[in-house]
Amino acid sequence: MFRKSSHAVMHSGGLFRTPRPLCRALQEALMKAQSVWNLDFGGTPTVDELTFHQRKYPSTPMFHVLDLDGRVVNPKQEPEVPKETLIKMMEAMLRQQSIDLILMEAQRQGRISFYMTSMGEEASAVGTAAALDMRDELFLQYREAAALTYRGYTVKDMVAQCMGTIENELKGRQMPIHYGSRALNVHMISSPVATQIPHAAGAGYVCRLENERETDPNKKRICAAFVGEGSASQGDFHAGVNMAATMKSNTLFLIRNNGYAISTPSSSQYAGDGVFARGIGYGIPCARVDGNDILAVFQTVRKARELIRTTNQPVLVEALLYRSSHHSSSDDSTWYRSRDEVEVFSNLFLPVARFEKYLERKLLWTPEQSRSLSQKVRQETLAELHRQEKLPKWPVSSMHDDVYKEMTPEMHQAQKELEEHYERNKKEYNM
Amino acid sequence: MLRRIGTTHVVSPLSSFFSSVASARRLQMTAVSASQAREHADAPEAVEMNFLQAINSALDLALSRDEKTVVFGEDVAFGGVFRCTLNLSKKYGSQRVFDSPLSEQGLVGFAIGMASAGWKPIAEVQFADYIFPAFDQIVNEAAKMRFRSGGHFHCGGLVIRSPSSAVGHGGLYHSQSVEGFFNHCAGIKIVMPSTPSDAKGLLLQCVEEEDPCIFFEPKRLYRSMVEPVDPGYYTIPLGKGKILCEGRDVTIVTYGAQVGVAMKAAERAAQEGISVELIDLRSLKPWDREMVTQSVRKTGRVIVTHEAPKTSGIGSEIVSCITQDCFLSLEAPPMRVCCLDTPHPLNERLYLPNELKVCEAIKYITGY
C-alpha cells in the first residue's frame, strides 16, 4: 500500500539546551527512589520544562543485506552461511511456492475446503527457520508453512492435513493449513489469532530455566512466535510480550508485517512506528528487517538468538514484506486494493528471485535447478493429491478421542452410541 | 474502579455462622462410616487446618515433589491476597513461585505455554470474577489443544486455581460462581471442594492430572472451615462424589460452600422427621453421575442446589440427567435452589439460596 507520508519534525529543543541547575535535594531523593518504578534515570530524573514525547516519523529503517539484484550491499554484514544451508533455504522457498500453487488450485476445484498461501512471504519464514536450531520450539500463526517445509515437513504431511485423511497424524480435526509436528518441534497452529504469543512466552520461560540448568551449550534452545501485524493488535500480544519481558523468557517474537489484515490496511491497524516501536515500550531489544531479503532475516534472527541466550531477554523482530496473494481462498483482494499495487510488489521485491540471483553469483544455483525443482514438487504434490483422495478419513470411533487424555465413562457411552447410530445409517452418510 | 479488595481478610458476621456449620458437620458425620466421611482426616498425625492452610499444604507438597512445578499469579510471591501461597516463595525461590503482570489472559496463556513445554504451572486467578479475560485462552486453547492436534500436543500440566463464590460483602465482582460457564466446554476439568481435607486431596489430584483443570476455592471457607487434615501427601480422584449423610426421603446434590447451607437445612428437616441424603459432588466435570443416580432411585426425590444463578447453571445439566436416568423412580419433579438470575448484589441475604429456601424446597418436594 502506498500511504502518503507526512513528514512531521519533532520540536524537542528543550532536550538539547543546557539545563539550568536543578534542585539538588530533589534529584538525590529521586535517584534513591527510582527503583520503586523499575526505572534508571541516569542521573537526571526531572526536567523543568514540559515536553510531550512522540516517536513516529521518521520511521526506523529496516536492515537489509541484498539489493534488488541479489548483490551484497555491505560485505561486512553478509552472514556466513554454510553452502548446504543456503541451498536448503532456496529449496524450501521453491518447494513451498510450488506446493502453494497446486493446493490453492485444488481448493478452487473443490478438492480441499480451504487454503492460504505464503506468496511473497517465503523469505521471512525460511530465513527465520534457518537461523534457529532444530530444537527451538516454533509457535506459528498460519502463513509460515515454509518454516515447516524447511524443517522437513513433507508434501505428504501437508496434503494429509489439508485433506484430513487417515494419514494425517493430527486426525483431520482442523481446517486445512493448521499444521503441527511434535517431531519437528512446531506447535499446532490454531485459528484464534495471537493466542500463541503468551504460550511462547511461557514456553520461553521454561527454556530459560532449563537452559540455566543445561551444561551443554548445544542443547540450549529458545522459543519463537510468529505474528502478523494485525494479530499484534490483540490483547494477547500485549500480555505475552510484556510478560516475556518481566519473566526474561528466552523467546523471539517475529512480526510479519505484510501491510494487510485481510482487507484492513496498516493505517487502520496502528498509528505508531509499526509493531517494532511497541517492543521498545516493553523494554526489550528490537530490530526491523527487510522481510523480502532472506539473508537480512537470517542474520537478524541469528543475532537475536544470541542476544536472547546471552542476556536472557526476549527479542522482537519486525519483518516488513507484502502479502502478494489474497488473504485466503475465501478472499478476493481486488475488492480492497488495486492490481497496480500488487504488481509493483510482485514484480519488484521478489524474495525468491532476489536470493536466486545471489546464489547464481556464488555459483551455487542455476535457473534450471529452480525450474526442475518446482516442476518436481508440483508433480509430487499433484500425485499426492490423487493418491490421498482415495484414502479413507479417520474412523467414526476416533471422533471422541483426545478430548481428555483418558475417556470419561460418559464419553465412552457417547462414542458407543455414535458408532451404533452410524452403523444403522451407514448408507445415508455415504462416507 | 476498585478492582481488588484489601489483602486483610475482613472478619464477617457470617464467619461465626459458618464456623458453626463446620462444627455441625463434625456432629453429622456420625451418620456414616468414619472412614468414608473423613477420608484422610483420621491419619495418626492429623493437623487442624483451615481451608487456606490446606491449600498451602497442597501447594507446598506439589512444589517439593517436582522441580517442574511452579506457582504464580498476581500477588502470589508475598503469600497471596488470601495467604494461600504464604512462605512458598521463600522456600522454593522466585523462579518457581512468582508474581505475574496484572493480566489474566497473559498469565493463563503463559501457563498454557509452560504446560505445553512439559512443566506443571499452577496459575492463580485472584478472583473467579476475573477469569473471563482468560476465557478465550481456556476455552479456545487449553481445552482444545490435545484434541486439535490428534493427541500430539497438550497442556495437561495446567492447573488454574481461583477463589470463588459469595463472601458476604463481595458485591458484583468478588462473589461470582462461574463454574457453569466452563461446564459447557469439552476438554477441561472443574473442581470445587467444600472442606479443607477435600481441597488438599483434590488440588493435588489436579496437579497430577494430565488434563487442564480449574480448581475453584469457596473463599468464605478459607478461614472459617477448620478440620483435621492429613499433613502428608494424598490425592482424591476426580469424578467421585461424597455422601455426607444417608437418607431415605430426598436427595440433595450440591458442592462448594453451599454444602454447609444444605447440611443446615438437612438438620432442620430431620427435626421434622424428613430423612435427607446429602451428596457433595466435589468434582463437577467430570461429575459422579452414578452416585447421584443411585441415590435418587432410592429416595425418589431430588433437590440440586448451588450458588451460581439458576438459568443454565450446573444444576440444569444434573436435573436433565436425573430425569433421563431416574424417570421411573421420580415421585416429584426435580427441583433447583440457586441464586437469582440477576448479577450478584452487595446485599445478598435474599439473593443466596440460603437455608430457609432449601428447607422450603425440602418441604415442598416431600409433600408433593
Side-chain angles (χ1 to χ4, degrees):
Chain A
M1 124 176 178
F2 298 94
R3 188 182 60 198
K4 200 174 297 180
S5 172
S6 58
H7 188 81
V9 178
M10 276 287 301
H11 290 288
S12 54
L15 295 178
F16 300 101
R17 278 192 312 102
T18 305
R20 287 191 298 269
L22 296 168
C23 173
R24 184 186 182 92
L26 178 61
Q27 304 307 300
E28 288 176 357
L30 285 169
M31 293 302 292
K32 286 182 181 175
Q34 68 187 350
S35 64
V36 82
W37 301 299
N38 193 30
L39 299 178
D40 180 352
F41 290 104
T44 311
T46 69
V47 295
D48 60 9
E49 284 193 19
L50 174 60
T51 307
F52 288 96
H53 298 259
Q54 185 175 10
R55 173 78 187 80
K56 185 162 179 172
Y57 301 128
S59 304
T60 302
M62 63 190 93
F63 169 66
H64 82 119
V65 172
L66 301 176
D67 66 13
L68 291 181
D69 284 320
R71 271 181 267 265
V72 174
V73 174
N74 178 0
K76 293 179 183 176
Q77 290 296 321
E78 182 181 6
E80 288 181 26
V81 190
K83 292 177 183 177
E84 317 83 65
T85 303
L86 290 172
I87 291 170
K88 186 176 174 185
M89 288 161 78
M90 185 64 190
E91 287 178 344
M93 288 202 286
L94 286 172
R95 290 182 69 86
Q96 192 58 50
Q97 217 175 46
S98 305
I99 291 165
D100 282 351
L101 277 174
I102 299 300
L103 291 188
M104 180 57 94
E105 190 58 34
Q107 193 282 331
R108 296 296 184 224
Q109 297 166 4
R111 299 165 89 176
I112 61 176
S113 59
F114 178 81
Y115 199 73
M116 297 177 97
T117 77
S118 300
M119 302 288 186
E121 303 189 38
E122 300 91 346
S124 63
V126 171
T128 301
L132 296 175
D133 187 275
M134 270 293 289
R135 278 186 320 281
D136 293 339
E137 306 263 342
L138 306 189
F139 291 80
L140 308 183
Q141 181 164 318
Y142 44 61
R143 215 184 292 281
E144 300 94 11
L148 267 153
T149 295
Y150 181 86
R151 284 194 164 194
Y153 208 61
T154 66
V155 166
K156 170 185 171 297
D157 294 325
M158 286 189 175
V159 171
Q161 197 283 324
C162 288
M163 296 187 123
T165 69
I166 189 73
E167 288 187 6
N168 175 224
E169 61 175 14
L170 309 166
K171 302 190 187 179
R173 294 184 174 139
Q174 292 215 85
M175 287 171 68
I177 65 83
H178 289 68
Y179 308 120
S181 171
R182 182 75 273 175
L184 300 176
N185 295 316
V186 180
H187 284 249
M188 191 82 207
I189 293 166
S190 75
S191 305
V193 294
T195 49
Q196 81 279 17
I197 301 171
H199 298 176
Y205 181 66
V206 163
C207 286
R208 172 163 87 86
L209 298 191
E210 291 182 349
N211 288 342
E212 285 171 0
R213 301 174 188 176
E214 176 61 65
T215 53
D216 182 353
N218 293 320
K219 287 186 179 173
K220 304 201 182 201
R221 62 203 176 104
I222 70 163
C223 289
F226 292 70
V227 184
E229 88 287 347
S231 300
S233 296
Q234 286 280 349
D236 277 355
F237 172 86
H238 163 71
V241 181
N242 185 51
M243 193 156 178
T246 63
M247 299 305 302
K248 310 187 201 312
S249 300
N250 284 185
T251 305
L252 168 72
F253 298 105
L254 192 284
I255 315 297
R256 285 184 302 94
N257 188 337
N258 64 13
Y260 284 92
I262 309 186
S263 70
T264 304
S266 47
S267 58
S268 295
Q269 200 69 246
Y270 54 72
D273 184 10
V275 178
F276 163 89
R278 282 180 241 170
I280 294 174
Y282 296 120
I284 63 176
C286 305
R288 177 175 272 163
V289 63
D290 180 348
N292 292 307
D293 179 349
I294 194 168
L295 288 187
V297 172
F298 179 94
Q299 176 74 338
T300 305
V301 170
R302 187 160 72 171
K303 292 296 183 186
R305 192 179 189 278
E306 287 174 26
L307 200 53
I308 290 164
R309 285 293 317 117
T310 57
T311 66
N312 270 338
Q313 299 179 88
V315 169
L316 184 142
V317 172
E318 184 183 36
L320 299 185
L321 29 70
Y322 188 75
R323 197 193 78 211
S324 297
S325 64
H326 304 305
H327 170 73
S328 73
S329 52
S330 307
D331 175 56
D332 177 354
S333 66
T334 63
W335 282 91
Y336 50 82
R337 62 181 181 177
S338 72
R339 291 184 197 275
D340 286 349
E341 177 188 308
V342 178
E343 281 175 12
V344 166
F345 276 92
S346 299
N347 298 329
L348 194 56
F349 295 102
L350 298 168
V352 180
R354 207 162 155 185
F355 189 51
E356 185 177 12
K357 288 171 182 170
Y358 171 81
L359 293 183
E360 284 176 43
R361 236 171 241 113
K362 283 185 166 297
L363 304 179
L364 293 175
W365 196 261
T366 67
E368 175 52 36
Q369 282 177 270
S370 291
R371 283 189 293 270
S372 172
L373 178 59
S374 296
Q375 185 181 359
K376 172 177 166 290
V377 174
R378 282 199 296 270
Q379 286 169 352
E380 180 188 348
T381 308
L382 271 172
E384 199 57 40
L385 270 171
H386 289 316
R387 184 182 74 82
Q388 295 211 36
E389 272 173 340
K390 300 179 176 67
L391 294 180
K393 299 291 197 275
W394 278 75
V396 174
S397 61
S398 73
M399 287 187 70
H400 285 87
D401 291 345
D402 306 307
V403 177
Y404 297 101
K405 188 184 182 195
E406 310 291 347
M407 284 245 190
T408 62
E410 286 183 270
M411 294 288 274
H412 269 299
Q413 178 65 19
Q415 181 187 50
K416 181 169 168 287
E417 284 171 12
L418 182 66
E419 285 185 87
E420 288 168 355
H421 166 78
Y422 176 67
E423 287 302 316
R424 292 193 297 269
N425 299 276
K426 209 164 186 175
K427 287 181 181 177
E428 292 196 66
Y429 278 102
N430 191 28
M431 283 163 56
Chain B
M1 171 187 103
L2 171 68
R3 189 175 213 261
R4 314 285 156 154
I5 59 176
T7 57
T8 306
H9 180 68
V10 180
V11 177
S12 159
L14 286 170
S15 63
S16 60
F17 169 75
F18 290 112
S19 292
S20 69
V21 169
S23 59
R25 173 187 305 276
R26 276 195 284 268
L27 291 176
Q28 194 62 45
M29 281 176 178
T30 57
V32 295
S33 68
S35 62
Q36 182 188 2
R38 297 173 64 238
E39 293 161 314
H40 304 281
D42 57 359
E45 300 174 7
V47 173
E48 289 280 304
M49 290 189 201
N50 63 26
F51 204 101
L52 79 88
Q53 288 163 333
I55 296 293
N56 185 267
S57 177
L59 296 173
D60 192 350
L61 287 163
L63 287 159
S64 70
R65 277 166 58 95
D66 174 25
E67 278 200 332
K68 292 192 170 185
T69 299
V70 301
V71 172
F72 70 95
E74 296 152 15
D75 304 300
V76 157
F78 87 111
V81 298
F82 292 105
R83 322 306 279 148
C84 293
T85 52
L86 194 63
N87 291 328
L88 298 181
S89 181
K90 286 176 198 148
K91 188 169 178 180
Y92 296 100
S94 61
Q95 286 189 344
R96 297 183 62 207
V97 181
F98 53 88
D99 289 338
S100 71
L102 205 157
S103 167
E104 284 78 24
Q105 72 203 98
L107 75 94
V108 171
F110 190 90
I112 291 168
M114 291 194 75
S116 75
W119 282 47
K120 282 192 169 283
I122 304 173
E124 181 184 296
V125 171
Q126 202 169 89
F127 290 86
D129 318 59
Y130 306 123
I131 202 166
F132 297 113
F135 199 76
D136 183 52
Q137 284 286 357
I138 295 169
V139 172
N140 272 344
E141 292 294 329
K144 297 172 170 52
M145 191 173 276
R146 191 191 294 277
F147 182 84
R148 75 185 187 210
S149 68
H152 286 260
F153 292 89
H154 67 84
C155 56
L158 172 69
V159 178
I160 300 168
R161 42 173 293 274
S162 187
S164 174
S165 310
V167 72
H169 50 271
L172 282 76
Y173 302 109
H174 300 85
S175 309
Q176 292 179 53
S177 293
V178 306
E179 65 279 3
F181 288 96
F182 296 103
N183 199 46
H184 202 59
C185 173
I188 55 175
K189 295 181 174 175
I190 307 171
V191 178
M192 192 189 288
S194 68
T195 68
S197 278
D198 281 2
K200 179 172 171 176
L202 288 162
L203 179 52
L204 287 171
Q205 178 62 42
C206 286
V207 174
E208 284 197 18
E209 287 285 312
E210 291 184 50
D211 294 301
C213 298
I214 308 183
F215 186 87
F216 290 114
E217 300 162 7
K219 56 187 174 292
R220 72 170 178 274
L221 305 183
Y222 272 141
R223 294 176 186 267
S224 62
M225 171 72 75
V226 182
E227 69 175 352
V229 177
D230 180 349
Y233 189 92
Y234 65 92
T235 56
I236 294 172
L238 302 192
K240 295 294 178 189
K242 187 177 187 180
I243 297 177
L244 297 180
C245 59
E246 288 175 5
R248 302 178 311 275
D249 299 321
V250 58
T251 300
I252 296 184
V253 181
T254 187
Y255 57 87
Q258 190 65 4
V259 168
V261 174
M263 182 73 79
K264 265 309 223 181
E267 288 169 10
R268 286 172 66 132
Q271 289 167 25
E272 299 182 23
I274 300 169
S275 173
V276 173
E277 177 142 307
L278 180 55
I279 293 177
D280 176 0
L281 287 178
R282 306 190 292 186
S283 173
L284 307 181
K285 190 180 180 66
W287 63 291
D288 200 338
R289 186 167 172 174
E290 188 178 343
M291 174 181 279
V292 172
T293 295
Q294 285 179 9
S295 175
V296 176
R297 283 178 180 165
K298 176 176 73 169
T299 63
R301 300 175 190 87
V302 63
I303 297 168
V304 181
T305 181
H306 56 58
E307 254 189 50
K310 189 176 199 180
T311 300
S312 296
I314 280 183
S316 311
E317 173 68 15
I318 295 171
V319 162
S320 167
C321 291
I322 287 167
T323 303
Q324 180 175 320
D325 294 350
C326 310
F327 189 73
L328 297 181
S329 305
L330 288 171
E331 299 190 17
M335 293 185 74
R336 288 181 296 148
V337 183
C338 313
C339 275
L340 308 181
D341 283 327
T342 77
H344 201 114
L346 182 61
N347 186 334
E348 60 186 31
R349 287 198 66 205
L350 275 163
Y351 179 74
L352 292 170
N354 59 41
E355 177 187 340
L356 296 177
K357 293 181 182 179
V358 179
C359 283
E360 285 199 340
I362 292 172
K363 287 175 188 165
Y364 177 84
I365 200 170
T366 52
Y368 191 77

